[in-house]
Amino acid sequence: MKFEDLLLEIGGFGRFQILILFILCLPRINLPMHFLLHNFLAATPSHHCAIPHQEAFVNLTMEEVLLISIPREPDGTFRSCEMFSQPQFHLLLNSSLQPENNSIIQHCQHGWVYDHSQFTSTISTQWDLVCEQRGLNQATATFFFIGVTMGAVVFGYLSDSMLAIMRTLTGVALSGVSLIVLPLGMEWVDIQHRTFSGILTSIFWSIGNMLLAMVAYLVREWHWLLVAVTGPCLLSIVCLWWVPESARWLIANGKVKQAHRHLLRCARMNGRKDFAVSPEALRRMATDKKPGGSYSYISLFRTPVLRKISLCSGAVWFGVAFSYYGMSMNLTGFGLNMYLSQFVFGVIEIPAKMIMYVVMNRAGRRQSQAWALILTGLCIGANVIIPKPFTSLRSVVAIMGKGFSEAAFTAVFLYTSELYPTVLRQNGMGYTSFVARLGGALAPLVFLLDEVWRSLPEVTYCGVAVCCGSVAFLLPETLNAHLPEGIEDVEKAQVKGPPQISAPEGMPLQSLLK
C-alpha cells in the first residue's frame, strides 16, 4: 500500500490541496525580492574621481574640468578609477591628444562622484565600494547566499558591518522557506497534479521578480528599498504557520496520530465524508522505517543508487544556480535598462515555465532538466561571440537564455523532490540547496574575472552550465512514478510507466486500511 493510493480516497487534488498551494505560493513571491535584491541594493552607477577645487578651474565648465583631470577610455568615456596627477590643460585645445605617459595617471585620491539620476543611494555609493573595493561590493551578495556569520569578520573594519550580518541572517532564514515550499505542497497532491503544483509555485517566483523591478523603480534609496521588500515577510510567516505538516512524512516517521488528524481534515474539506482510516492502518503503511532508526545527510551517500543520485543532483543544482544568478545579476550587460531587464526577465520566465510543464510531462524529467541547462549555457556562450554593437540580438539571446535558465531551475526543484524518498526528502533538498547556495555565492564573484579577460565570466558560466547539464543524463527518470517512501524504494525502483492502484479489482481501498 502506497500513500498515492490513500490520496485517491481522500482526494488527491481538491479544495484542501488548492488552499495549501495558494498559501505556499505567497511566501514564494518574497524569495526573489531578496535573492535578487543585490542588483539594486548594491548597484554601481557611473562614477569618476572627485576633483578638488582649484583657482585655475574658475572659468572652466564641469565638462572641461573633467577633460583635463580624468583620462578617457578608447570609446571616449571618462575612466572610473583613475585621474591625472596634474591638470592637462593642453587637452582643452585638442582633446584627442590623450597623454601616453602613464606616470602622470594615478588612482582616485579624493573619493568619487556618482551619477544619481538612476539611484538616490546604494551601498556602493554610501561606502565607495568601487574600483579597488569592488570585490567587497560583490561579497555582499556572497554573504547572502552562503548565510554564514563570517561576513561580520571580513567587513569588520567597515561601517556597514551590520548590513553584512543582517543580509547573512536573511539568507539563512529565506533558504528555509525556499526548501520547504515545493516539497510540502507536492507531498499532498496526487501523481497527475505533481508537475502542476511544482510549476504553479514556481510561477509565483516570477511574479516576485517582476514586483522587485517595480518596487526598486519606485524606491531609489537603498535603506527604504530594504524595508519595502522585507515587510511582506511578516505575511509569509503567518501563512506558513497555518500549513499542515506533510502526512506522507509523518507516516514515514511513525507520527501516525498527527498524520491521521491531517488526513481526516483533508478528506472533510474535499467532500470525502465517508472516508475512515485507523491510526493502526497508517502504521502498516510506513516502509523502510526501522524502530529507533534515524536519517541524516550521511544517509544520502550510504547506498549505491542514492549516492549516485546525490552526487549527480548536487552537480546539477550547482550548475543551475551558478548560471541562473550569473545571468540574473548581470542586468546591465545586455543593453537594456536595469529595471526593464529585471521586469522582462520575470515576464519571460512565465511562458518558459508553462512550456516546461508540457515538456516535462511529455519528454520526462531527465531530458527536460538536461537540455534546459545545456541550452542556458549555449545562450550565454553565444553572447560572447555576438559583437557588442548588435544590442538587439544580444538582448534576444539573453532573454532566451534567461528563459532556459528559469526552466532549468523550475525542473530541478520538482525533479529532486521526486528522486529522494520521503524519509530523506528534506535532507536531500537541504543538501542540494546547500550546493546551489555555493553556486549562488560564487556567481557574483565570477564577474571579477573580467579583469583577466573581458569575456571570461560568460565563458565560465557557459562551461559550467553545459557540463552540469550533461550530468543530468545520469539521473533516473521519475515521470509518472510513485514518490519513494523509504531508501529501499529508491534502490530497487524500476520506473516502467504510470503506477497502478494497489487494491485488487473489485475491492474498495478502505477495506485494506481498516
Side-chain angles (χ1 to χ4, degrees):
M1 182 63 57
K2 298 294 183 181
F3 189 82
E4 276 80 5
D5 303 332
L6 186 59
L7 279 177
L8 293 177
E9 291 294 305
I10 63 175
F13 197 75
R15 284 181 295 177
F16 182 81
Q17 285 84 358
I18 293 173
L19 181 60
I20 286 180
L21 288 178
F22 175 75
I23 294 174
L24 290 175
C25 284
L26 295 179
R28 288 284 290 180
I29 297 178
N30 276 132
L31 293 179
M33 299 182 77
H34 279 278
F35 276 65
L36 301 177
L37 181 60
H38 181 79
N39 287 335
F40 304 98
L41 190 74
T44 304
S46 59
H47 54 280
H48 60 76
C49 297
I51 305 166
H53 178 72
Q54 297 183 28
E55 291 295 333
F57 296 165
V58 173
N59 295 322
L60 298 180
T61 64
M62 179 54 67
E63 184 68 23
E64 291 173 331
V65 172
L66 293 176
L67 181 63
I68 64 176
S69 303
I70 298 178
R72 290 179 179 244
E73 298 287 357
D75 61 1
T77 58
F78 292 109
R79 296 185 187 179
S80 300
C81 302
E82 294 177 329
M83 62 184 296
F84 293 125
S85 56
Q86 295 294 332
Q88 305 296 302
F89 289 101
H90 68 278
L91 294 176
L92 294 173
L93 301 176
N94 189 346
S95 61
S96 62
L97 296 176
Q98 289 290 313
E100 298 181 359
N101 184 5
N102 289 331
S103 62
I104 64 172
I105 298 177
Q106 61 184 4
H107 293 294
C108 298
Q109 303 296 309
H110 311 283
W112 289 263
V113 175
Y114 299 94
D115 178 10
H116 293 287
S117 61
Q118 196 169 24
F119 301 97
T120 302
S121 72
T122 68
I123 64 172
S124 297
T125 63
Q126 180 159 341
W127 289 296
D128 289 333
L129 301 182
V130 294
C131 300
E132 293 87 354
Q133 304 299 315
R134 178 181 168 218
L136 297 181
N137 186 0
Q138 297 298 336
T140 58
T142 300
F143 291 145
F144 176 81
F145 284 108
I146 293 180
V148 293
T149 56
M150 291 178 60
V153 177
V154 177
F155 277 76
Y157 66 96
L158 289 177
S159 59
D160 62 335
S161 59
M162 182 57 69
L163 173 68
I165 295 172
M166 297 312 295
R167 288 298 289 162
T168 301
L169 296 178
T170 301
V172 173
L174 290 178
S175 65
V177 176
S178 177
L179 279 176
I180 67 172
V181 168
L182 190 137
L184 185 56
M186 188 187 69
E187 289 182 358
W188 272 110
V189 302
D190 55 24
I191 294 177
Q192 290 77 12
H193 296 91
R194 195 190 301 162
T195 306
F196 173 78
S197 68
I199 299 296
L200 178 64
T201 55
S202 184
I203 284 177
F204 277 78
W205 169 285
S206 302
I207 294 174
N209 253 341
M210 293 182 282
L211 287 177
L212 174 60
M214 293 187 285
V215 173
Y217 180 80
L218 295 173
V219 184
R220 305 295 183 96
E221 207 280 330
W222 76 267
H223 297 89
W224 289 110
L225 177 60
L226 197 57
V227 171
V229 300
T230 304
C233 289
L234 297 176
L235 177 61
S236 300
I237 295 173
V238 174
C239 292
L240 292 175
W241 189 264
W242 186 91
V243 177
E245 181 58 84
S246 165
R248 186 191 300 267
W249 181 86
L250 291 171
I251 293 173
N253 286 273
K255 301 179 179 181
V256 293
K257 290 185 178 180
Q258 206 174 339
H260 181 255
R261 185 168 64 253
H262 292 322
L263 288 171
L264 290 179
R265 180 184 178 188
C266 174
R268 285 195 299 268
M269 286 192 65
N270 289 344
R272 305 294 180 92
K273 297 181 180 180
D274 58 340
F275 173 78
V277 59
S278 65
E280 290 72 20
L282 297 181
R283 285 193 183 92
R284 294 196 296 268
M285 292 181 60
T287 61
D288 195 47
K289 182 61 182 175
K290 304 179 180 63
S294 61
Y295 299 94
S296 66
Y297 289 107
I298 298 177
S299 304
L300 299 174
F301 301 92
R302 280 178 176 161
T303 55
V305 177
L306 263 180
R307 183 163 52 247
K308 178 182 177 182
I309 288 175
S310 297
L311 293 174
C312 292
S313 61
V316 173
W317 271 79
F318 181 89
V320 168
F322 186 75
S323 56
Y324 178 86
Y325 290 109
M327 296 193 71
S328 299
M329 292 185 174
N330 187 26
L331 296 182
T332 59
F334 305 112
L336 296 176
N337 172 277
M338 278 191 67
Y339 303 102
L340 181 59
S341 294
Q342 179 71 40
F343 187 82
V344 170
F345 279 1
V347 171
I348 197 63
E349 289 179 0
I350 295 179
K353 291 172 181 180
M354 292 180 176
I355 294 173
M356 202 62 176
Y357 172 75
V358 177
V359 173
M360 291 185 73
N361 280 333
R362 297 289 180 85
R365 281 39 167 162
R366 178 172 51 197
Q367 295 289 333
S368 302
Q369 179 69 74
W371 284 111
L373 189 50
I374 290 173
L375 290 173
T376 298
L378 294 179
C379 286
I380 297 174
N383 262 346
V384 176
I385 303 173
I386 300 174
K388 295 285 185 181
F390 292 84
T391 304
S392 298
L393 179 59
R394 287 175 57 83
S395 297
V396 170
V397 173
I399 291 172
M400 289 177 57
K402 189 61 170 63
F404 286 126
S405 178
E406 181 55 37
F409 226 136
T410 300
V412 77
F413 267 101
L414 177 62
Y415 193 15
T416 306
S417 296
E418 294 177 340
L419 286 170
Y420 285 107
T422 300
V423 293
L424 279 173
R425 187 163 294 120
Q426 283 303 121
N427 297 82
M429 294 298 292
Y431 153 71
T432 52
S433 180
F434 169 76
V435 178
R437 286 200 296 272
L438 290 180
L442 291 174
L445 298 180
V446 171
F447 291 127
L448 302 176
L449 295 178
D450 63 357
E451 296 179 359
V452 179
W453 176 37
R454 193 175 189 87
S455 298
L456 185 55
E458 288 79 9
V459 171
T460 304
Y461 293 129
C462 170
V464 170
V466 172
C467 291
C468 293
S470 301
V471 173
F473 288 118
L474 302 176
L475 291 168
E477 181 57 70
T478 60
L479 177 64
N480 292 328
H482 281 304
L483 285 180
E485 305 292 346
I487 293 177
E488 66 178 11
D489 294 335
V490 175
E491 296 297 320
K492 299 178 181 179
Q494 296 292 329
V495 180
K496 297 180 180 180
Q500 302 297 320
I501 301 301
S502 303
E505 183 177 358
M507 181 180 296
L509 184 61
Q510 288 184 5
S511 64
L512 296 178
L513 299 176
K514 292 180 180 177

